[in-house]
């Protein structure tokens, strides 16, 4: 609508245009409730307002985009006229863009909703990783620094605050904190009191929502500091591990002690003290090769990286480990804390498990496990067999089932999976030691090769296949060869990067096929 003419003092001039804003929130974060609060606050001031929502997918949970537009003047001043408003957000026309997580801010930036001439970007700076980030063979996380830099460049005013931390510190939902930050920013032509009244009128968790609202409001106004990040509860060190930790202090260089201490704790927790000692015995072999080949001048990187991947590999996740982790009392306490359950309030926990032939074979004796694996591989259709299970671990029967499976830890060293893993671990250690005598960089490449072995089910199967192909065709020959070490390093690095970039293995096959001459030279 067109603005009316000013009165004699120019005090009653109507706004030239509507106020447009968009809210991007993930499922379960209360984006719809947040929108309803904004709409209710605008309506309480007599503003013409409308809102729409468009559901979508964020590759984490469902994501919904809420578009809100209002005319910041009381209806009584419009002489019966109504403004024309849009149904969805459009690039270049947003006054405020609000997102509940940093990647959602990136999505808004990519869609062109944030412009330096007009838009205030209000976003929580914490991350909720997408499925693509979590399932990447390598480190698939989006670089946070790039997102923040882009936000600062494109927004007229960026307001990036860890609202998730504020919400947790105040026992509130994040949508209430976001509303408080919006009110405290001064960017909306709506006073904070109107938002408070909107929260009160909903009648849902009023005390907690007002607490979260005030936390966001006070922080953005500078009246309250950001609370300290809650440190994750550390699992107590396994009993009698002190002797192993003392061995690390006595026999390993300072640069390696933190990594090896973490590794030995993990190994003892995974199996027992003897397994922790076995970890240190193998780490000592890596250290010997490291020292003999100039590792002291390089900060003993080979021992650090080799110790890292040795610990991860030795503690491979079989169904016994999964049961152990899922049945721990501290995990149940964390679940209760995350859902905000009160003392005595029941919480239903359902574990969705899907064991197949691989999981069954993994805990059988080596001869039986090997036979079952060969039988399964004779026909592709057999590989798709899985048993869908739903185990309610908040019940006595469900919890006992998991604990019984976790108690099979004593059997692990006699299982098929254990024998197979250790056969390959020893081959990897031998290659790493041999490569160190030839080239420190080559040894580092081989040390990082187990990073290909990760994931579950089909992802794990493909990762192991990629590892074996790279190890047998490049790493093992290069470790014992006398050709061009730099070329061997380049070939290994290219193959490892290709395998991490493409879990299906197509990129790896392309690299291996494209460089037959180089591989032949590296193996000479």
């Amino acid at each position: 609508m067109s603005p009316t003419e000013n009165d004699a003092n120019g005090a009653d001039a109507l706004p030239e245009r509507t106020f447009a804003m968009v809210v991007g929130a993930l499922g379960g974060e209360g984006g719809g409730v947040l929108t309803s609060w904004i709409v209710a606050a605008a309506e309480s001031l007599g503003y013409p307002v409308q809102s729409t929502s468009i559901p979508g997918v964020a590759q984490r949970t469902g994501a919904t985009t809420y578009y809100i537009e209002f005319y910041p003047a009381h209806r009584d001043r419009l002489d019966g006229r109504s403004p024309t408003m849009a149904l969805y957000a459009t690039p270049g026309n947003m006054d405020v863009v609000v997102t509940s997580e940093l990647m959602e801010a990136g999505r808004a930036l990519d869609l062109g909703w944030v412009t330096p001439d007009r838009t205030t970007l209000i976003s929580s700076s914490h991350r909720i990783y997408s499925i693509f980030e979590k399932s990447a063979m390598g480190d698939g996380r989006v670089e946070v620094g790039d997102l923040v830099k882009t936000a600062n460049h494109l927004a007229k005013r960026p307001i990036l605050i860890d609202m998730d931390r504020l919400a947790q510190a105040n026992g509130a939902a994040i949508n209430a904190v976001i509303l408080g930050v919006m009110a405290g920013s001064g960017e909306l032509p709506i006073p904070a009191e109107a938002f408070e009244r909107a929260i009160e009128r909903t009648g849902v968790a009023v005390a907690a929502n007002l607490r979260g609202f005030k936390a966001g409001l006070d922080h953005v106004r500078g009246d309250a500091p950001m609370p300290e990040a809650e440190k994750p509860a550390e699992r107590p060190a396994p009993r009698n591990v002190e002797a192993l930790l003392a061995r690390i202090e006595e026999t390993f260089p300072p640069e390696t002690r933190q990594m090896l201490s973490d590794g030995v704790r993990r190994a003892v927790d995974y199996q027992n003290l003897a397994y922790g000692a076995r970890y240190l015995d193998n780490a000592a072999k890596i250290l010997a090769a490291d020292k003999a080949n100039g590792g002291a001048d390089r900060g003993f990187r080979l021992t650090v990286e080799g110790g890292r991947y040795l610990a991860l590999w030795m503690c491979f996740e079989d169904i016994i480990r999964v049961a152990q982790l899922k049945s721990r009392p501290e995990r149940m306490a964390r679940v209760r804390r995350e859902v905000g359950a009160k003392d005595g309030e029941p919480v239903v926990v359902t574990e969705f498990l899907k064991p197949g032939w691989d999981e069954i074979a993994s805990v059988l004796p080596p001869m039986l496990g090997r036979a079952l694996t060969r039988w399964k591989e004779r026909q592709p259709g057999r590989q798709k067999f899985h048993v869908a299970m739903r185990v309610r671990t908040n019940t006595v029967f469900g919890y006992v089932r998991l604990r019984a499976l976790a108690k099979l830890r004593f059997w692990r060293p006699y299982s098929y999976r254990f024998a197979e893993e250790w056969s390959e671990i020893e081959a990897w250690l031998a290659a790493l030691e041999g490569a160190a005598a030839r080239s420190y960089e080559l040894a580092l490449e081989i040390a990082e090769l187990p990073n290909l072995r990760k994931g579950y089910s089909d992802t794990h199967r493909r990762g192991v296949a990629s590892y074996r192909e790279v190890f047998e065709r490049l790493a093992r020959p290069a470790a014992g060869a006398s050709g061009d070490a730099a070329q061997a390093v380049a070939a290994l690095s290219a193959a490892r990067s290709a395998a991490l970039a493409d879990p299906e293995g197509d990129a790896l096959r392309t690299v291996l096929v494209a460089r037959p001459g180089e591989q032949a030279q590296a193996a000479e």
Side-chain angles (χ1 to χ4, degrees), residues 161-461:
I161 297 171
D162 191 344
M163 303 183 208
D164 184 61
R165 190 192 302 182
L166 283 171
Q168 291 184 20
N170 290 276
I174 192 171
N175 59 349
V177 175
I178 293 173
L179 189 70
V181 172
M182 289 167 50
S185 71
E187 296 293 336
L188 277 71
I190 300 175
E193 294 76 13
F195 290 123
E196 289 181 322
R197 290 193 297 269
I199 291 174
E200 292 169 349
R201 282 198 296 270
T202 62
V204 177
V206 173
N209 286 329
L210 286 176
R211 191 165 57 246
F213 175 82
K214 188 175 187 303
L217 181 74
D218 290 346
H219 180 73
V220 79
R221 286 178 172 176
D223 297 333
M226 177 65 68
E228 291 292 329
E230 181 180 351
K231 295 181 179 179
E234 294 186 4
R235 180 171 176 78
R239 287 180 298 176
N240 303 320
V241 76
E242 291 81 7
L244 296 177
L245 297 176
R247 177 181 168 186
I248 293 173
E249 292 293 323
E250 294 169 2
T251 60
F252 288 89
E255 298 93 328
T256 68
R257 290 171 187 167
Q258 183 60 57
M259 180 61 68
L260 297 181
S261 296
D262 292 341
V264 80
R265 286 189 178 95
R266 187 184 188 104
V268 173
D269 177 66
Y270 179 80
Q271 191 63 30
N272 51 33
L273 286 170
Y275 204 60
R278 188 174 184 179
Y279 168 74
L280 288 185
D281 291 342
N282 285 290
K285 295 178 183 178
I286 301 174
L287 176 63
D290 202 354
K291 285 182 176 179
N293 295 281
D297 297 330
R298 302 168 186 257
F300 295 101
R301 285 183 58 206
L302 184 59
T303 304
V304 172
E305 293 306 312
R308 180 201 312 277
Y309 289 108
L310 176 63
L312 292 172
W313 198 345
M314 285 181 62
C315 302
F316 57 88
E317 292 198 356
D318 54 9
I319 58 176
I320 299 172
R321 180 63 167 174
V322 171
Q324 179 189 19
L325 294 174
K326 286 184 175 292
S327 61
R328 282 180 166 167
E330 56 263 36
R331 182 206 178 225
M332 300 298 180
R334 177 176 57 81
V335 170
R336 293 186 62 86
R337 185 172 64 252
E338 288 178 352
V339 301
K342 300 177 182 177
D343 292 341
E345 188 174 8
V347 175
V348 176
V349 181
T350 303
E351 313 289 354
F352 292 87
L353 307 175
K354 199 178 179 182
W357 292 125
D358 288 336
E359 288 73 26
I360 296 171
S362 70
V363 295
L364 293 176
M367 184 177 296
L368 292 178
R370 194 170 294 111
L372 179 58
T373 300
R374 289 172 179 170
W375 172 82
K376 176 209 62 171
E377 291 175 348
R378 290 194 190 105
Q379 293 186 18
R382 291 173 181 169
Q383 298 183 17
K384 298 180 179 179
F385 168 79
H386 292 92
V387 178
M389 300 174 62
R390 292 175 174 82
V391 180
R392 290 179 55 182
T393 49
N394 63 294
T395 65
V396 173
F397 179 63
Y399 182 77
V400 167
R401 290 167 68 186
L402 280 188
R403 288 304 301 166
L405 188 56
K407 290 294 183 182
L408 289 178
R409 181 167 57 172
F410 79 92
W411 169 255
R412 182 184 282 130
Y414 310 102
S415 67
Y416 167 66
R417 173 83 183 272
F418 190 89
E420 291 292 305
E421 296 288 352
W422 267 100
S423 174
E424 296 195 66
I425 288 174
E426 289 169 351
W428 168 72
L429 286 169
L432 190 153
E433 292 178 68
R438 182 182 177 201
S439 164
Y440 200 88
E441 287 70 23
L442 179 61
L444 282 174
E445 279 294 333
I446 294 176
E448 295 189 22
L449 200 55
N451 192 29
L452 301 181
R453 307 173 68 105
K454 59 179 61 179
Y456 305 93
S457 190
D458 293 342
T459 301
H460 179 262
R461 192 180 302 114

Side-chain angles (χ1 to χ4, degrees), residues 7 10 16 18 25 35 74 215 246 306 321 362 377 415 439 470 479 514-515:
D7 64 5
E16 294 184 355
T18 58
T35 300
H74 199 284
R321 180 63 167 174
S362 70
E377 291 175 348
S415 67
S439 164
V470 175
R515 314 181 74 159

